[in-house]
Amino acid sequence: MTKDYLIKGTAGENQIRVFGAVTTNLVQKSIDLHHTSPTVSVAMGRLLTAGALMGAMMKGNDELLTLKILGEGDLQGILVTADANGAVKGYPYVKQLKPDPFEAINIASAIGNGSLTVIKDIGLKEPYVGYSPLVTGEIAEDLTYYYAKSEQIPTSVSLGVLLESEQRVKQAGGFIIQLMPDTEEKIISELEQALSQMPSMTKLLEAGQSPEVIFSDLFKNLGFKVNETKELKYHCNCSLEKVTKALISLGLKEIEAMIAENESIEMHCDFCETNYPFTSNQLKTIAQEIKKN
Ligand SMILES: [Zn+2]
């Protein structure tokens, strides 16, 4: 399978900015890691794709985007993070819905009423936090609404994940189209006209259309050009060092209680499902280190 990638481009005399992504492999990776049932797999895939697209809007190397959906439905929630370098990861609060027939995937009902939170950590003391209620629970429309309400940017978001079997992704991808401030009326109406004639995301995915082809078709009267292409991947940056730091941050009391109760413990990374076991002796060493400092 070809690699996942993202393109950034412009159209309409630079008054429209566009982001398109192919995310088939990273969505597959999420399924392989989390062993999700079909509805959860598709919901995860949509939010991971949104993360990849929105991560590409971040600038600095240390900037981090977090998308969190919380809902009253059985899926409960999804968390995704992405950076500006094409690394994206996430996890669902509930991995398997039962029943969850492959033929009847229903994201909106699995998520239910809820909220979308967007956190942009751009290295300032306080991260930017935006929040909006879910309008459909289908994720793309919720993001479109978020952009209109929270950031006042007219945006069209489209996200799609097509499964070919319970555990297998056929095609995944999406795009974000945004109007720059003061976009001319004639360009807005051209764009609206083009969007209204666009095939559905599912049809585009079924046809295996690349973002370049989709955008060239969509913007045939608006002059589309690609400014940047970058690789996307599902990547978790956890490490024994980071996990140990997290353990230390629990405090001496907590660690001594663990030593008293158990022979060993296991720390777990929700993003990549890696276990980090700590023996009682390792915990004692950590406790001693904390006492020393
Ligand atoms: Zn991890």
Side-chain angles (χ1 to χ4, degrees):
M1 211 181 280
T2 52
K3 283 179 176 169
D4 291 343
Y5 68 98
L6 175 133
I7 59 167
K8 285 190 205 184
T10 53
E13 296 153 28
N14 295 324
Q15 295 176 66
I16 302 170
R17 66 171 188 164
V18 302
F19 301 83
V22 175
T23 55
T24 311
N25 297 285
L26 68 90
V27 176
Q28 183 63 54
K29 174 101 184 206
S30 165
I31 296 174
D32 295 343
L33 282 172
H34 302 303
H35 303 292
T36 43
S37 63
T39 297
V40 184
S41 300
V42 173
M44 275 296 296
R46 288 187 191 171
L47 200 63
L48 285 166
T49 302
L53 292 164
M54 292 170 70
M57 297 176 191
M58 310 282 280
K59 291 187 181 75
N61 280 335
D62 301 325
E63 298 187 5
L64 188 73
L65 170 87
T66 302
L67 298 175
K68 187 164 78 173
I69 283 182
L70 289 176
E72 292 166 1
D74 293 339
L75 178 47
Q76 295 181 22
I78 304 175
L79 189 124
V80 160
T81 74
D83 67 17
N85 299 317
V88 54
K89 62 181 196 245
Y91 62 87
Y93 288 26
V94 172
K95 291 175 186 167
Q96 301 261 343
L97 300 181
K98 286 173 186 150
D100 190 0
F102 172 63
E103 304 75 24
I105 291 172
N106 189 335
I107 313 290
S109 101
I111 292 175
N113 290 325
S115 62
L116 166 74
T117 307
V118 177
I119 303 164
K120 294 179 194 172
D121 190 344
I122 53 169
L124 303 173
K125 225 180 210 169
E126 295 290 328
Y128 164 88
V129 181
Y131 173 93
S132 71
L134 297 177
V135 285
T136 65
E138 293 286 348
I139 303 178
E141 293 83 349
D142 302 307
L143 279 161
T144 297
Y145 182 74
Y146 159 81
Y147 272 116
K149 191 178 151 49
S150 203
E151 300 196 16
Q152 285 88 44
I153 305 173
T155 305
S156 172
V157 183
S158 205
L159 306 167
V161 175
L162 201 63
L163 297 182
E164 64 182 358
S165 67
E166 292 259 332
Q167 301 289 321
R168 207 75 225 153
V169 183
K170 187 173 183 201
Q171 190 92 21
F175 56 80
I176 292 180
I177 298 169
Q178 287 192 324
L179 294 181
M180 305 302 279
D182 309 318
T183 300
E184 291 163 53
E185 242 353 281
K186 83 171 167 35
I187 288 178
I188 296 175
S189 59
E190 284 264 12
L191 177 63
E192 279 172 352
Q193 171 82 1
L195 282 172
S196 70
Q197 287 167 2
M198 198 176 177
S200 72
M201 197 63 207
T202 310
K203 283 221 176 84
L204 293 170
L205 290 175
E206 263 165 0
Q209 297 263 41
S210 70
E212 292 91 328
V213 170
I214 294 172
F215 288 144
S216 298
D217 282 353
L218 181 66
F219 298 119
K220 57 179 180 290
N221 300 324
L222 284 165
F224 164 68
K225 80 173 188 285
V226 178
N227 297 325
E228 198 185 334
T229 303
K230 69 168 72 176
E231 199 180 315
L232 295 172
K233 55 180 181 297
Y234 193 107
H235 174 72
C236 185
N237 56 350
C238 70
S239 63
L240 181 60
E241 192 190 346
K242 281 187 185 170
V243 171
T244 307
K245 267 189 197 156
L247 192 59
I248 291 168
S249 73
L250 295 175
L252 185 59
K253 232 176 160 179
E254 195 70 25
I255 292 168
E256 282 179 332
M258 286 176 192
I259 296 168
E261 273 173 40
N262 290 309
E263 289 193 337
S264 65
I265 62 145
E266 206 160 64
M267 297 286 276
H268 181 75
C269 176
D270 290 327
F271 289 102
C272 67
E273 307 284 0
T274 303
N275 286 320
Y276 291 90
F278 288 85
T279 64
S280 186
N281 275 338
Q282 283 172 316
L283 288 177
K284 282 173 191 160
T285 309
I286 290 169
Q288 277 163 7
E289 285 295 320
I290 299 176
K291 278 184 206 161
K292 257 195 271 172
N293 295 325

